[in-house]
Amino acid sequence: MMETKDRKFSIIVVTFNNADGLLRTLKSIRRLDYAQKEVIVMDGGSKDGSLDIIEQNKDIITTAVSEKDSGIYNAMNKGITHVMGDYVVFMNAGDEFADKNTLSLVNEYDGDIILGEDIYGGQRRTLKERMTLYDLLSRGMYHQAVYYRREVLQKYGFDESYKLIADLKSVVEPFVKDRITITSILQPLAICEIGGISKQRWRDTLIENRRLIDEVVDPFYKADYQKFARINNSLLHDFMVLSHFQSIFPLIKWLSKLMSFLNDKFKHIPIE
């Protein structure tokens, strides 16, 4: 933690035909005890009464845009063009801040990206105090509990060629390329609705995760990393550590070949 600062937070709310969810999110924002904030609502051209909800809450909304977009990440990128705050957080309609003190809590921390925990389906999803690249790739992060320093977000934004995990890439890419600082807050910052699209299309999500690994992992290790991942995901953390010591890398490669051979040889044996 650092000394308390008078920082401004930009809250971008993304919504489309979810008037009830939008109302819950705006009520949650209304409960926040932190004054230095702006609220940007990006609506995808809703026809269900969402515009009425926006009009009824215009006293707390700084900017509202209602127009067709090409998807959630496109809407989020449009939202970025309006931000004036020091830090930016995204909320989907229906999501809520965990507590009225959430922004006050985040304001006590510093980092290029601040990650928090969340409540999803009534269950708390946790972080590690120090998140490594492996942790980000294997555990992920919780979209509505991620606070981006504005300059980092404006530089990288969201890669719209990713349809499911552009939010994960928006954290991983600057972490790898610019060695930004990532700070963890080990308590929930958001309460999230169940049913994100990445959960529904989990096979496609795995494909995008592999693509992300392909783009960010050092080419020297990439092929072996992917091979090792297919053999035994539980060993990935040790592999990431050991791969820094090139003298033992041939041994790791030999072990991966042996494990692959044994896996193929005995794959016909049922696992009870």
Side-chain angles (χ1 to χ4, degrees):
M1 287 191 186
M2 296 186 66
E3 293 182 1
T4 303
K5 314 158 194 66
D6 191 22
R7 296 184 296 202
K8 184 176 182 178
F9 290 91
S10 298
I11 304 168
I12 300 179
V13 180
V14 179
T15 185
F16 178 63
N17 284 337
N18 187 0
D20 291 341
L22 176 61
L23 181 58
R24 285 199 304 278
T25 301
L26 292 175
K27 284 183 176 179
S28 173
I29 293 172
R30 212 177 262 286
R31 290 192 292 267
L32 292 171
D33 68 359
Y34 193 86
Q36 289 292 97
K37 61 184 181 295
E38 63 176 0
V39 180
I40 299 163
V41 177
M42 301 301 299
D43 175 73
S46 296
K47 306 297 183 183
D48 69 338
S50 292
L51 296 185
D52 293 333
I53 299 297
I54 292 172
E55 178 64 23
Q56 293 163 14
N57 290 274
K58 63 182 181 181
D59 60 309
I60 64 167
I61 297 173
T62 310
T63 303
V65 177
S66 182
E67 62 185 22
K68 185 176 177 58
D69 54 58
S70 59
I72 186 169
Y73 295 124
N74 179 243
M76 291 163 74
N77 278 330
K78 288 182 178 181
I80 294 170
T81 65
H82 296 280
V83 299
M84 299 295 291
D86 301 293
Y87 280 86
V88 186
V89 62
F90 293 85
M91 302 289 282
N92 296 338
D95 299 324
E96 302 175 55
F97 288 92
D99 189 89
K100 68 177 183 178
N101 301 317
T102 295
L103 294 187
S104 298
L105 172 64
V106 177
N107 190 51
E108 296 176 0
Y109 288 78
D110 193 51
D112 294 311
I113 291 180
I114 300 172
L115 304 179
E117 300 178 349
D118 75 353
I119 304 294
Y120 180 83
Q123 300 294 317
R124 179 175 173 176
R125 297 191 293 186
T126 61
L127 296 174
K128 292 175 63 176
E129 184 171 359
R130 182 177 180 274
M131 294 289 285
T132 64
L133 175 59
Y134 169 77
D135 295 321
L136 290 171
L137 292 172
S138 60
R139 300 165 67 103
M141 27 64 69
Y142 314 126
H143 165 73
Q144 296 86 341
V146 179
Y147 289 75
Y148 301 84
R149 196 182 297 279
R150 184 184 69 219
E151 293 81 6
V152 173
L153 185 61
Q154 289 178 333
K155 178 177 179 179
Y156 287 96
F158 298 94
D159 184 345
E160 295 178 36
S161 69
Y162 283 76
K163 304 305 178 185
L164 300 168
I165 63 164
D167 47 352
L168 177 60
K169 189 184 182 201
S170 72
V171 174
V172 169
E173 189 172 20
F175 184 56
V176 171
K177 292 183 178 179
D178 292 343
R179 298 293 191 266
I180 62 163
T181 58
I182 293 181
T183 302
S184 296
I185 299 179
L186 302 183
Q187 66 183 76
L189 302 181
I191 301 171
C192 303
E193 278 199 323
I194 298 176
I197 189 170
S198 62
K199 300 290 184 184
Q200 300 167 15
R201 295 170 55 187
W202 62 271
R203 292 182 186 276
D204 294 332
T205 300
L206 289 176
I207 292 172
E208 287 201 355
N209 266 284
R210 181 167 295 181
R211 174 187 165 193
L212 179 57
I213 291 171
D214 183 68
E215 291 183 357
V216 302
V217 175
D218 190 303
F220 180 82
Y221 305 116
K222 184 175 63 180
D224 298 279
Y225 180 103
Q226 292 173 329
K227 186 186 299 181
F228 217 73
R230 288 194 294 271
I231 296 168
N232 192 342
N233 274 333
S234 68
L235 296 177
L236 274 179
H237 181 259
D238 294 331
F239 175 74
M240 289 289 286
V241 174
L242 291 172
S243 64
H244 289 290
F245 301 93
Q246 295 187 19
S247 61
I248 63 172
F249 205 75
L251 175 60
I252 296 173
K253 295 178 69 173
W254 179 83
L255 286 172
S256 85
K257 290 179 181 179
L258 175 62
M259 293 172 69
S260 181
F261 169 76
L262 292 174
N263 185 57
D264 288 338
K265 186 174 182 62
F266 298 106
K267 66 183 178 182
H268 63 285
I269 299 176
I271 299 176
E272 296 181 356

